[in-house]
Amino acid sequence: MADGKSKTWELKLPIAFAVWVPIIVFVILLGFRLGYRGPRYGMALSVAAALFAFEFFLACPSVLERARKFLGEHGRVLAPLAPLFAVLIYTITVTGKWTLALAGAAYCVVPALLLARSTGKAPGTWEDYAAALIVWLPVEFRWMYHVFPYPTELSHTLTVLLALSTGVAVFVLLRRMDGIGYAIVWRRGFAANVALHFLIFAAIAVTVGMLIGFLKFDPTLSRLRTLPLATVGITFFTAWPEEFLFRGVLQNLISRTLKNQWAGLAIAAVIFGFSHIMHAPFPNWKYVFLATIAGLFYGHVWMKTGSLFPGALVHALVDISWHVLFR
């Protein structure tokens, strides 16, 4: 799935840190503006910052390689301790509810136990699929939102960060599944792939979306003002996590199980489409249809480049354009 082209650029830790710091500072200032203060907010923010650092810094190829070497063959089972400690610290210090601590611990530990059974086996075992479902479904149905009740504005972000950190810990560090393309690199041809897939899909989605009444062209200055915040939120907490799950894990697994990358692309795109059915009004078949088409484009970028990053950029560009120009 990876093309054999040499890397022309890769994410380095200093650059990742330079991106991470202003995002965290912005969230701190936003929390102050919303009236959040005190130890509970500080602890919730610290957990969010730690989870974000864990999954984002591991997207640096050099950091990922060192982490794998440090853990070694036998120590890889320790990888899920990072998200596990994070959720336990949050639930014990912020909520004080042991039931939430148990739920959070089970969410991190069960996928790890399943994938520990698949170590050394070819991708596509029932444990692989079960672990993917356990990581995905509690977020899809918003069950995990109950684990992070405070602050309300960070509930979604903390849930997504825990899900992605758990997924990275179990699939990238523990299972070490080939072909995910988690490390952020940039090769020759990536820019053309991103531009081509975005422009073709945008033309299809806008035309079809307006014909079926799903989209309405309605750019507003208020949404334009929120563009910086929306760009960060969409890129890091929507596009990147969804590309990891639906392309790096699910499409990857299905393609290997069926030994057919086109079948993997189609099935993963349909699953991605149905993941949008719960958006109001339920069942939202129009959203399912357009999201399935989007999944075909995002998945094809992943197939062509062997990397999550270009597909995540296309995904982010689509969602950002929608945020600013349509409703």
Side-chain angles (χ1 to χ4, degrees):
M1 294 177 184
D3 55 20
K5 298 178 182 176
S6 60
K7 289 180 290 188
T8 57
W9 179 86
E10 66 178 38
L11 182 65
K12 301 288 188 182
L13 184 58
I15 298 175
F17 187 76
V19 172
W20 178 82
V21 168
I23 292 175
I24 299 304
V25 171
F26 178 80
V27 174
I28 293 172
L29 296 177
L30 180 61
F32 287 163
R33 184 177 179 182
L34 293 172
Y36 290 109
R37 300 286 193 281
R40 289 182 71 211
Y41 178 65
M43 187 57 66
L45 187 62
S46 298
V47 169
L51 287 171
F52 185 31
F54 177 77
E55 53 96 352
F56 186 46
F57 293 169
L58 282 172
C60 303
S62 59
V63 175
L64 179 57
E65 183 179 357
R66 289 173 187 169
R68 284 176 165 173
K69 286 183 178 178
F70 175 77
L71 292 171
E73 288 300 314
H74 301 291
R76 63 172 73 181
V77 295
L78 300 177
L81 290 180
L84 174 62
F85 285 160
V87 74
L88 288 178
I89 289 170
Y90 173 92
T91 51
I92 292 171
T93 62
V94 176
T95 69
K97 295 182 178 180
W98 66 269
T99 53
L100 296 182
L102 288 177
Y107 181 80
C108 298
V109 170
V110 174
L113 293 176
L114 286 168
L115 293 188
R117 291 168 48 90
S118 295
T119 303
K121 299 178 183 177
T125 66
W126 73 265
E127 291 95 341
D128 290 331
Y129 287 101
L133 289 175
I134 291 171
V135 171
W136 170 37
L137 292 181
V139 179
E140 178 68 22
F141 292 107
R142 303 197 173 189
W143 300 330
M144 288 300 294
Y145 282 40
H146 299 294
V147 175
F148 300 105
Y150 175 89
T152 305
E153 289 78 7
L154 275 182
S155 179
H156 170 76
T157 302
L158 280 162
T159 300
V160 171
L161 286 172
L162 180 67
L164 180 56
S165 294
T166 300
V168 171
V170 298
F171 281 103
V172 177
L173 293 179
L174 194 162
R175 183 70 164 100
R176 302 191 182 180
M177 194 166 73
D178 293 334
I180 291 176
Y182 189 77
I184 294 178
V185 298
W186 194 258
R187 300 185 178 96
R188 287 186 296 272
F190 277 21
N193 266 292
V194 169
L196 186 63
H197 284 81
F198 170 68
L199 291 174
I200 295 175
F201 173 69
I204 294 172
V206 170
T207 303
V208 175
M210 296 185 77
L211 283 174
I212 65 177
F214 181 76
L215 293 178
K216 181 179 180 181
F217 186 66
D218 185 31
T220 65
L221 187 59
S222 62
R223 287 204 297 272
L224 185 60
R225 291 195 187 102
T226 65
L227 182 59
L229 176 61
T231 298
V232 171
I234 288 169
T235 302
F236 290 102
F237 308 121
T238 299
W240 182 252
E242 288 186 357
E243 290 310 297
F244 171 77
L245 172 67
F246 290 102
R247 259 56 70 177
V249 176
L250 283 178
Q251 184 174 333
N252 193 351
L253 285 173
I254 296 167
S255 297
R256 293 175 184 276
T257 299
L258 300 179
K259 296 181 172 55
N260 187 316
Q261 62 177 349
W262 295 103
L265 170 64
I267 295 171
V270 171
I271 296 173
F272 179 69
F274 272 90
S275 73
H276 294 76
I277 196 171
M278 297 191 67
H279 290 261
F282 176 82
N284 197 330
W285 294 111
K286 294 177 181 179
Y287 204 175
V288 169
F289 177 64
L290 285 174
T292 299
I293 298 175
L296 291 172
F297 278 84
Y298 304 157
H300 192 251
V301 176
W302 177 76
M303 281 172 51
K304 293 286 289 183
T305 63
S307 172
L308 295 178
F309 188 45
L313 287 181
V314 177
H315 192 153
L317 286 170
V318 168
D319 286 4
I320 292 165
S321 300
W322 181 10
H323 171 78
V324 174
L325 300 175
F326 299 93
R327 65 177 175 87

